[in-house]
Amino acid sequence: SIAGQNFRFNSVTIDGVAQNDNFGLSKNASATQRAPISIDAIEQINVNVAPFDVIYGNFIGGNINIVTKSGTNEFHGSVYGFKTSDSLTGDTSDGVDVGVRDFDEDVYGFTFGGPIIKDKLFFFANYEKFETTLPSNTQTIDNIAGVTQADVDRAISIFQNEYGFDPGRFDASDTDEDQKYLLKVDWNISDQHRAVASYQVADGDVLFDDFPEVAVLQSNRYNINEKLEAFSVQAFSDWSDRFSTELKVGFKDVENRQISIDTTTPDFTVFTTAGGTIAAGGDRFRHTNELDNKSRQIKLKADYEWDNHVITAGFEQEEYEVRNLFVPFSKGNYVFFSLDDLEARNPGFVLYGNANSGTPVDAEANFEMAVNSFYLQDEWTVHDDLIFKFGLRFDNYENNSPIPLNTAFQSRNGFTNTENLDGKNLTLPRFGFNWNATDRLTLRGGAGLFGGGTPLIMLGNSYSGNGVTRTFASFLAPFFGPPVSDSIAAAVADLPDPTAAFRNFQQYI
């Protein structure tokens, strides 16, 4: 957290090109579940808290800028590996067992860089792989309130014998992997011009379950498989002793797939007589869950030195393209009030969601947005120990993708649900100073406005959760009637009009 803000409002840049978690689903500030780049590929890390320079924007927390290593005139490289396991880890704290269970973790990789043409063209490469085998859950069954091992064993037996599928064990293990690649080329075109190009990949998976207080069987856990691919080109030019420019173009594609261990069955929720819960089958929120998140960045900045002033002017555009297919409950969620009901195939109620057409992909949300930024700044060196900055940044939002109109929402509220960010503007004045009061004392400060960095899931829900393209409903068991059908789809198909219930329910959304 920077400046008291949620980490999703920070900005992460690698070699000056944004690599943020644009959609806002990661557990950290980057676009991937783990760090997108190896620490052995990093030359410097800068954390900018409230930087009053107008070149910084699209965040309200802080900016974390990573500068990667470059090749030199000498060949340099490294090979490294790290290993840890439960046997190398303490398992008590002040005499209390902290619950460290069996795991094994390995990291290995290499770096290599050097000249392609001495003094002219250089390369740097990095590869790293992470592997871990660890328990799928962080606690034992004894820590789950209201559930015993006997309850779990009986549920597994019922699923195998009555429903014909293996729900997996509670006490299971999983193997996660993560790979990172980086290739960077530096080109000294001339004494006045320099270019840098880089290509980066981060590809990994992480196992999750959402409810630590529930006895989640292995089939109900899910993997987040995420792949980031980024490419950038930068050119730095000194056209004269006073005038210089910087041009950057970057592309970033993130593919996010959230996949249940069991992709074929509905979600089952079973309550025990002691008030506990057992979960099995495909996780309800991963029945249909795909996300593609792309961004393109352009930056052009110019600096002109005039007397004791440096005038900075620039334009930036970050363009986003999102495809979000999120249709929870599309395979259904059967809820049983006891293990006896589970064995008798007698659900208490059923939860179901889908596109209104019955085909999940028809509820896919697609939209585009762009942020256009213009800025102008005067950096005034009053004397060697005192610098003032006066600047103005202006952000304009383009969001032309239409949101489907929900007429029921409009009639109920008196306004439509189709509002987006198109045409919205942010005017961001900045002032800062840096005063070297003595050899041992420096004072920095300023005032300004910062904006942007909005996680796109906030905007995306207007497209996917519009109440028109998809519907969610819960039904008491008599709607389907015991025993439970082989599939939700078959149960709905048995109705005289399979979509009537959804059309009737839709008026209340």
Side-chain angles (χ1 to χ4, degrees), residues 237-245 301-313 377-381:
S237 298
D238 295 322
W239 300 98
S240 70
D241 292 341
R242 293 176 173 239
F243 183 61
S244 61
T245 60
K301 181 176 77 76
D303 295 312
Y304 181 74
E305 295 185 19
W306 172 61
D307 196 17
N308 56 346
H309 297 263
V310 177
I311 307 300
T312 298
Q377 177 176 273
D378 177 15
E379 180 180 312
W380 177 25
T381 303

Side-chain angles (χ1 to χ4, degrees), residues 80-112:
Y80 57 90
F82 306 93
K83 180 178 182 61
T84 188
S85 66
D86 57 286
S87 62
L88 299 172
T89 303
D91 54 9
T92 61
S93 176
D94 198 21
V96 177
D97 189 344
V98 295
V100 175
R101 304 177 64 197
D102 293 347
F103 77 93
D104 189 73
E105 184 175 297
D106 298 283
V107 181
Y108 53 89
F110 72 86
T111 65
F112 187 59

Side-chain angles (χ1 to χ4, degrees), residues 351-405:
L351 305 174
Y352 182 66
N354 209 332
N356 288 342
S357 65
T359 303
V361 71
D362 291 341
E364 180 178 289
N366 293 275
F367 66 94
E368 297 180 3
M369 190 182 81
V371 182
N372 302 302
S373 302
F374 305 85
Y375 49 81
L376 181 65
Q377 177 176 273
D378 177 15
E379 180 180 312
W380 177 25
T381 303
V382 180
H383 54 73
D384 292 343
D385 297 326
L386 180 62
I387 298 175
F388 288 115
K389 289 184 180 181
F390 304 90
L392 181 67
R393 184 183 179 99
F394 179 80
D395 294 344
N396 165 258
Y397 287 76
E398 295 180 16
N399 183 201
N400 296 318
S401 305
I403 297 171
L405 174 65

